[in-house]
Amino acid sequence: MDQVTIFSEYVRRKGLKNTSQRMTILEAFLGSKSHFSTEDLYFELRKDHPKIGYATVHRTLKLFAECGIASELDFGDGQTRFEPLDVNQHHDHLVCTHCGLIVEFTEPQIEKLQEQVAAQHNFKIERHRHELYGLCSNCAKQS
Amino acid sequence: MDQVTIFSEYVRRKGLKNTSQRMTILEAFLGSKSHFSTEDLYFELRKDHPKIGYATVHRTLKLFAECGIASELDFGDGQTRFEPLDVNQHHDHLVCTHCGLIVEFTEPQIEKLQEQVAAQHNFKIERHRHELYGLCSNCAKQS
DNA sequence: AGCTTTCTGAATGTCATTTTCAATTTCTAG
DNA sequence: CTAGAAATTGAAAATGACATTCAGAAAGCT
């Protein structure tokens, strides 16, 4: 089931409405580079759709997160970022504190160890956040 | 070297001043339960020291983080939390999304795998964030 | 003790996010 | 097809955590 379908069904199930703005934002969202902020997407959209308001972009991104096709990221810089979420493929992030570069990584062994930790504490994990902050190879060279 | 000494030396080295407010806040900080917000500590302090202002608590906690005796935590609820930091002993967190319980954990194998991931991407890690969100054993029972 | 520098605390500013509200659009039911 | 209830939109204003300003107070060097 693709992301458009997931969203459409979510909208129907919740008694919400299918508007042209939402569809426009969904397209832009799916076509966008990952790790963008609401503001990023808003300005991207303004090029072709200058009438769509910031609040609508914001509310729609929240909807995407609610229905599971987007993931909200917080790298501690005061801006929430979003990325399209593929249910089957989880990943975490390396964040360069100098140039802002974001690299994704997956490490199944870490995921497994996490589950063990949770089990030891009788926790039922819903989600996790794992981010490594530092200098990317480029920035490490320069300094 | 204990935390009071670390802070005092930091203050001296930077040409800052040793004020009674800072000492009061440091005491409260060291005696406090962990994972508190600026607001938490501010209200705690007001009981015995009603004249200390919010801004002073805020600035002083930032100072603690700067000199390495405090760590800033962000569990994504819009509030920065602090905890006294023991340099030798790093830990990560389990956070109950239902009751807010925070449990600390350490897992050296995860730390090691992290370093491998960073090395693969030529990243030089400065710090990381690893949090597991879910239901604690109590809350899992109830629901 | 004098004097320069830093600090304090109340108030105000900042900034991302969220909410409000009147006008508009969607879509269900007749 | 159409009326009307309900949701949506977008501009503007509100919110809330954090950060800064500034005049008076305190620290601590000489």
Side-chain angles (χ1 to χ4, degrees), chain A residues 96 98-99 101 134-143, chain B residues 121-124:
Chain A
C96 179
H98 189 251
C99 71
L101 176 71
L135 295 177
C136 69
S137 50
N138 260 337
C139 293
K141 264 185 245 160
Q142 289 167 24
S143 58
Chain B
H121 292 83
N122 279 105
F123 256 73
K124 191 167 178 302

Side-chain angles (χ1 to χ4, degrees), chain A residues 27-69:
Chain A
E27 272 175 45
F29 166 70
L30 294 174
S32 159
K33 74 168 178 49
S34 214
H35 316 124
F36 57 85
S37 66
T38 304
E39 206 184 349
D40 291 339
L41 192 64
Y42 171 62
F43 281 115
E44 185 63 30
L45 277 162
R46 275 187 65 160
K47 293 177 191 164
D48 293 331
H49 305 276
K51 299 231 287 295
I52 293 183
Y54 184 94
T56 302
V57 176
H58 172 261
R59 284 180 290 220
T60 306
L61 285 172
K62 285 289 199 187
L63 264 187
F64 293 168
E66 264 176 57
C67 75
I69 66 172

